[in-house]
Amino acid sequence: MMSEDVERLLIQFQDEQGEVLGSPFDVPLDITPDKLQLVCNALLQKEEPVPLAFFVRGEAEVVSSLGSCVKALGVETEQVLPVVYQPQAVFRVRAVARCTSTLQGHTEAVISTSFSPTGKYLASGSGDTTVRFWDLTTETPHHTARGHTHWVLSIAWSPDGKKLASGCKNSQICLWDPVTGTQVGKTLTGHTKWITWLCWEPLHLNPECRYLASSSKDGSVRIWDTVLGRYEKILTGHTQSVTCVKWGGDGLLYTSSQDRTVKVWRAKDGVQCRTLQGHAHWVNTLALSTDYVLRTGAFEPATATINAQDLTGSLEELKEKALERYNKVRSSAPERLVSGSDDFTLFLWNPAEDKKPLARMTGHSALVNEVLFSPDTRLLASASFDKSIKIWDGRTGKYLMSLRGHVASVYQVAWSADSRLLVSGSSDSTLKVWDIKTGKLNMDLPGHADEVYAVDWSPDGQRVASGGKDKCLRM
């Protein structure tokens, strides 16, 4: 029997949207997150209990006990205390720990690398004008796709995983079949300067994966009909090079440019809806909160097998599945957009509704090279030339922490499918894996002989691929 009485207080569970769960609950102050989880899951009455994280008033996470959290925030213990619960990913991704193989073959630097939506294939684009497909089970080269006449700058998988588009410095776009490594249809020409970014139409809007958007240094964005092999529309309006194009899940296109603006277009008729202004320098990169779900389409990482398979099912089934997953991630609010720029700042926008930014995120001391939402959309990671990676709140844009450890510019980052880990590639020739909960370095992965330009984490969470100036791909 305890000698003294433990302080007790009333708490009220809420979900992230502020919906109340049950009635206020009387708990001891020294309750641990594990016990809170039991109580909360009992109230939720789900068949399988899910792992949860708890936040007092939605801001401070309960790590050791409720009491220490209450003290830190200095909250009244007389009133009912709101506690927000967040469901975490059901599966866990193991941190990558070692380099399993070095894939040689490219004769110039590897500029881009990307896993297919199910993680079955890996493709890389390089300065030697080829696109290579790699066999992941044996970790050997599969096909070399030749057809470009200049550096391959950008590659993009269609969300059904059946086609890969690649754009080169000679302003041509080719489509490839990953199974045979041959070109599909004819080369798409029309841009007058090099291709900066490629993005496919989301699977739940069109299960045929027919349309492709490309942005170019010539200041235009083109939408291509890949079946007929010609462009449908040209979107002009930017006065300088367009750096990035994203095709959102609600039928909008977002483009960023060196003319310091971000523009929002309607995809079906190419009408410009909004111009988002605020940056003081070139806008380099865009990220959508729904990026991950659009990329994986109908594929659910929680059900992934060790041996990645292609998706089966009719177009209608795939579309249903993709739409269901998209709606789950999007929930009630429209998708959010983040832009990162040479002026060292990031802006968080709600582009479907408002042309004013939700938040301006400052703190980097050099240009921002890449920004990425975590798969569960709660966090944002930004990579910068100031050698650090910063983590922000994906809803409010509030600064959370810095990940320091790289000794040179950070080029690219990639999230694991469960949003618990982040991998970063840098010009100091290392990859680093970070544990997001603690903000500490989980793994240091040396191995490259020179700068690491491209890094990607497969959607099923099993592998990380990196490529760089030393012409090798490492797994």
Side-chain angles (χ1 to χ4, degrees):
M1 185 67 199
M2 301 222 8
S3 49
E4 61 207 299
D5 279 338
V6 177
E7 260 193 272
R8 303 181 74 83
L9 85 165
L10 284 170
I11 60 170
Q12 170 71 64
F13 288 118
Q14 304 176 337
D15 70 5
E16 293 165 278
Q17 274 79 40
E19 297 263 326
V20 213
L21 172 71
S23 47
F25 218 87
D26 178 44
V27 296
L29 207 52
D30 57 4
I31 190 167
T32 59
D34 301 347
K35 300 235 177 74
L36 278 172
Q37 194 159 314
L38 286 171
V39 175
C40 195
N41 269 318
L43 289 171
L44 280 168
Q45 293 172 336
K46 286 263 177 70
E47 288 157 27
E48 294 176 7
V50 287
L52 301 164
F54 297 96
F55 295 84
V56 174
R57 281 186 172 166
E59 45 194 287
E61 185 173 357
V62 182
V63 185
S64 52
S65 73
L66 190 59
S68 56
C69 225
V70 169
K71 268 201 198 75
L73 283 175
V75 187
E76 272 294 311
T77 52
E78 298 295 310
Q79 295 147 347
V80 178
L81 187 66
V83 173
V84 177
Y85 64 91
Q86 285 188 354
Q88 303 295 306
V90 189
F91 57 97
R92 255 181 198 284
V93 170
R94 272 207 322 259
V96 283
R98 59 186 200 283
C99 175
T100 54
S101 64
T102 300
L103 309 175
Q104 290 167 334
H106 281 298
T107 53
E108 286 288 330
V110 179
I111 300 172
S112 48
T113 142
S114 176
F115 284 95
S116 68
T118 57
K120 183 174 181 184
Y121 304 104
L122 169 71
S124 60
S126 157
D128 64 7
T129 75
T130 64
V131 174
R132 279 176 184 254
F133 292 98
W134 307 87
D135 184 338
L136 288 180
T137 35
T138 58
E139 305 198 345
T140 51
H142 211 172
H143 301 293
T144 303
R146 300 174 198 280
H148 285 297
T149 50
H150 212 319
W151 306 340
V152 180
L153 298 176
S154 167
I155 58 177
W157 283 96
S158 63
D160 62 0
K162 295 193 171 74
K163 297 191 283 276
L164 177 91
S166 60
C168 74
K169 203 170 168 182
N170 233 356
S171 66
Q172 293 170 338
I173 300 170
C174 297
L175 304 173
W176 310 96
D177 179 351
V179 184
T180 60
T182 51
Q183 191 172 342
V184 185
K186 56 181 198 222
T187 306
L188 309 175
T189 51
H191 280 299
T192 52
K193 287 196 184 152
W194 65 80
I195 312 287
T196 52
W197 205 273
L198 297 166
C199 191
W200 289 85
E201 182 171 20
L203 191 69
H204 65 262
L205 295 179
N206 181 358
E208 286 172 26
C209 296
R210 181 168 177 175
Y211 296 103
L212 171 74
S214 65
S215 64
S216 164
K217 179 101 170 70
D218 63 14
S220 71
V221 173
R222 286 174 189 245
I223 297 177
W224 305 87
D225 182 331
T226 58
V227 179
L228 299 175
R230 55 174 192 176
Y231 62 89
E232 287 278 292
K233 297 180 202 67
I234 304 185
L235 313 179
T236 52
H238 282 299
T239 53
Q240 271 171 313
S241 164
V242 184
T243 50
C244 185
V245 56
K246 293 275 181 193
W247 199 315
D250 299 340
L252 293 172
L253 278 168
Y254 310 101
T255 57
S256 64
S257 162
Q258 291 186 349
D259 65 11
R260 311 197 299 277
T261 63
V262 175
K263 290 189 190 290
V264 184
W265 317 77
R266 258 209 318 267
K268 61 174 191 292
D269 49 12
V271 172
Q272 183 180 324
C273 310
R274 279 195 183 82
T275 300
L276 311 176
Q277 289 171 328
H279 281 297
H281 208 312
W282 298 352
V283 187
N284 293 327
T285 173
L286 292 176
L288 279 174
S289 56
T290 50
D291 267 344
Y292 180 78
V293 113
L294 297 180
R295 170 185 170 179
T296 49
F299 166 72
E300 179 56 74
T303 58
T305 51
I306 292 290
N307 198 351
Q309 295 305 321
D310 271 342
L311 290 171
T312 49
S314 68
L315 291 180
E316 278 308 300
E317 285 164 29
L318 289 183
K319 186 176 173 174
E320 295 276 290
K321 230 187 206 155
L323 188 61
E324 178 194 342
R325 289 192 60 221
Y326 173 72
N327 286 335
K328 200 164 113 191
V329 168
R330 183 180 176 272
S331 63
S332 52
E335 48 194 9
R336 301 181 300 287
L337 181 77
V338 162
S339 55
S341 155
D342 268 21
D343 65 4
F344 314 168
T345 65
L346 301 118
F347 277 97
L348 179 64
W349 312 87
N350 188 348
E353 292 173 354
D354 197 8
K355 63 179 190 190
K356 290 193 181 62
L358 293 173
R360 178 168 183 251
M361 296 156 0
T362 55
H364 280 299
S365 55
L367 68 91
V368 178
N369 198 45
E370 193 184 37
V371 52
L372 212 54
F373 273 95
S374 63
D376 64 8
T377 77
R378 291 188 189 121
L379 299 171
L380 260 168
S382 58
S384 161
F385 279 18
D386 64 6
K387 309 173 196 162
S388 74
I389 298 143
K390 293 196 189 303
I391 305 291
W392 318 80
D393 183 305
R395 285 199 172 72
T396 59
K398 199 173 111 201
Y399 168 74
L400 299 174
M401 59 185 149
S402 284
L403 308 176
R404 297 188 182 277
H406 282 297
V407 292
S409 308
V410 185
Y411 287 136
Q412 269 204 323
V413 290
W415 287 91
S416 68
D418 62 356
S419 310
R420 291 189 178 100
L421 301 166
L422 180 81
V423 61
S424 56
S426 152
S427 72
D428 65 8
S429 83
T430 65
L431 290 170
K432 293 190 189 321
V433 182
W434 308 89
D435 185 324
I436 292 304
K437 199 143 201 173
T438 59
K440 295 201 171 56
L441 183 67
N442 181 319
M443 233 3 128
D444 196 359
L445 305 169
H448 278 286
D450 211 329
E451 314 192 3
V452 181
Y453 290 142
V455 53
D456 194 19
W457 200 310
S458 73
D460 60 4
Q462 288 184 46
R463 294 184 176 85
V464 169
S466 60
K469 206 168 166 179
D470 63 359
K471 310 172 193 171
C472 293
L473 234 77
R474 287 171 200 268
M475 300 295 260

